[in-house]
Amino acid sequence: MSFGSMFRELCCSAFAKKTAEDMAEQYGGEIGKNLIGGNNELANSLLGALTGKQQLSIQNVASMVQSSGGEQLVEHAETKGLDPALLNGVMGMLKGGGGGGDAGDGGGGGLDMGSVFKMIGGLTNRDGGGGGGGADGFMQLLQGFAGGSGGEGTNTGNIVQILLGLAKSYFNVKGKSNPAIQDWDAAGAGQNKSDDNFLNWALSVIRDLVFPGKKPKEIIQAGGDDDIDTGADSGKTKDDGDVKGWFDGHPEIGKMQKDVFDDIFDTTDDDKKDEDDPAPVIPTPSDFQENCSCLDNASILFLNCNLLLEYRKNWRFLFSTLSHARSLDEMMSKICYKGPTLIIAKDTEGNMFGAHASTSWCDTEGGWVGNGQFNCFLLRAL
């Protein structure tokens, strides 16, 4: 490391520590100052990863916690669009998850600054969360949702509730600024909203945690989804290590968690744009007409996160019976030789199903040709 780089690093480290100490003294008293600025590296590592603007945002969060014991922060998050399950998780994190101090240490209605820094670092996937990345924040949410009691393992019902909260919050919160979500709303997803489909998505994600080693088709045919408890504090208990490993295998959960809470805490990186993500949670639609799609937000989330990474950024609308002639010939004229496709059908009873073709539809003199990689799926069964 050059002398200049070392000097800058030392200066940034000293600035982060001084900021942490000042914040702890302002919002948490002298005991809080010792916690943050002394041997505990929690705040130093978090603030060292933030810009000046983001540090001011953290100060604002700390002020909301200090002034009302967390209630003002929860009201702020609710206004932003955070789902009630996550609101309960955040409040539980603040009251029971935290910094290791006694109830009176923080001066914020029984809350301490350690809890605040741990929460922000974990939920936004920054070093202040304890070094475990987004999985630590997810585990904190689960513990907070359960009342901060910890215990042996985690109920699958609570995991489902947090998954539902994250997915709904993602569209509520990011829908105010994310162009892709806004375009999908215009294309029809807004009017097709379905809470039932969010549950279907959550069940599709948690299957490999509840039934390790089994394929989705095998689980569905055996009625396994009916055996997954979805209510709070219900269901089988899973080891925390297994939950973290499962979380790491579903990066879309961590992406949604970080995006949602970066927005809540106003800690989004200044140079980050949703459009720059090469494999976003929600693809950007193009060539669509208003209300031409039968898909809802949960279905788009499910489909995109099950495609190859290279197909997750941009989707083109090729054909819709809502905007084209209801003719098989018309449909084939629109989709042939256009690359991989998704075909979605909705019947008169509201059932939704479809198929993914991994190569172009090719109508040749010898008939239809392809590579045999063709997958069917069911989005909604009534």
Side-chain angles (χ1 to χ4, degrees):
M1 179 184 295
S2 68
F3 175 79
S5 298
M6 184 182 300
F7 180 76
R8 284 193 298 271
E9 183 174 322
L10 289 172
C11 287
C12 290
S13 176
F15 175 73
K17 182 175 181 180
K18 180 63 168 61
T19 303
E21 291 175 346
D22 290 346
M23 288 175 63
E25 184 174 25
Q26 181 178 356
Y27 301 117
E30 188 61 30
I31 295 177
K33 180 175 180 178
N34 291 335
L35 168 69
I36 301 300
N39 295 327
N40 196 315
E41 296 295 328
L42 189 62
N44 296 337
S45 60
L46 172 60
L47 290 172
L50 299 175
T51 65
K53 174 179 174 294
Q54 291 169 329
Q55 291 180 10
L56 290 175
S57 298
I58 300 301
Q59 286 183 313
N60 186 47
V61 172
S63 177
M64 286 190 280
V65 171
Q66 189 271 343
S67 64
S68 63
E71 294 296 339
Q72 188 177 346
L73 174 61
V74 170
E75 290 176 7
H76 163 76
E78 187 174 19
T79 301
K80 283 272 194 175
L82 202 66
D83 184 77
L86 299 194
L87 290 171
N88 291 338
V90 166
M91 202 62 194
M93 290 168 68
L94 287 172
K95 289 186 173 180
D102 296 330
D105 287 353
L111 309 177
D112 61 69
M113 290 301 299
S115 296
V116 177
F117 278 94
K118 184 177 180 181
M119 175 185 69
I120 296 172
L123 294 177
T124 62
N125 196 14
R126 291 182 169 90
D127 291 340
D136 276 354
F138 188 79
M139 299 306 296
Q140 291 174 45
L141 265 180
L142 286 169
Q143 185 175 342
F145 182 78
S149 57
E152 296 295 327
T154 303
N155 293 109
T156 54
N158 288 351
I159 298 175
V160 171
Q161 289 298 310
I162 293 299
L163 286 175
L164 289 172
L166 280 173
K168 292 178 183 179
S169 297
Y170 182 80
F171 289 100
N172 289 341
V173 175
K174 298 298 293 181
K176 299 171 184 177
S177 61
N178 185 300
I181 296 176
Q182 293 170 350
D183 285 348
W184 275 109
D185 278 350
Q191 68 176 13
N192 299 328
K193 290 180 179 178
S194 168
D195 280 353
D196 288 342
N197 263 12
F198 277 115
L199 178 58
N200 291 336
W201 168 80
L203 292 175
S204 75
V205 174
I206 203 174
R207 284 184 193 127
D208 55 344
L209 174 63
V210 180
F211 305 104
K214 292 187 177 181
K215 296 181 179 180
K217 181 179 179 181
E218 180 183 354
I219 297 170
I220 294 172
Q221 288 179 335
D225 282 358
D226 295 333
D227 295 331
I228 300 177
D229 289 290
T230 60
D233 299 322
S234 64
K236 298 177 181 178
T237 299
K238 303 301 293 186
D239 179 78
D240 287 352
D242 291 339
V243 177
K244 286 186 177 183
W246 161 83
F247 177 95
D248 291 338
H250 290 276
E252 67 274 18
I253 304 174
K255 277 189 174 185
M256 287 192 291
Q257 177 179 287
K258 176 173 172 54
D259 283 353
V260 165
F261 285 102
D262 266 337
D263 200 296
I264 297 297
F265 301 136
D266 195 20
T267 52
T268 302
D269 294 329
D270 293 335
D271 58 350
K272 178 189 174 185
K273 295 182 180 179
D274 293 316
E275 305 93 289
D276 295 335
D277 189 345
V281 173
I282 298 299
T284 297
S286 61
D287 302 332
F288 65 89
Q289 296 184 23
E290 187 173 351
N291 295 324
C292 67
S293 175
C294 63
L295 289 173
D296 58 274
N297 289 331
S299 298
I300 299 165
L301 175 63
F302 168 78
L303 291 170
N304 201 47
C305 292
N306 281 280
L307 292 175
L308 294 175
L309 293 176
E310 60 193 279
Y311 300 138
R312 295 187 187 183
K313 188 172 179 62
N314 296 296
W315 288 12
R316 295 173 299 161
F317 275 93
L318 299 176
F319 174 84
S320 170
T321 57
L322 297 174
S323 52
H324 297 94
R326 289 174 174 255
S327 159
L328 184 61
D329 288 339
E330 175 74 5
M331 183 182 79
M332 298 318 300
S333 72
K334 299 294 184 182
I335 71 174
C336 278
Y337 306 103
K338 296 295 177 66
T341 52
L342 285 167
I343 294 182
I344 314 295
K346 183 178 181 180
D347 66 20
T348 55
E349 296 181 356
N351 300 299
M352 285 177 54
F353 47 91
H356 170 245
S358 61
T359 59
S360 289
W361 293 82
C362 302
D363 187 10
T364 68
E365 292 183 0
W368 293 96
V369 297
N371 63 2
Q373 296 181 9
F374 194 86
N375 299 298
C376 298
F377 50 82
L378 176 67
L379 292 175
R380 183 192 304 160
L382 301 177

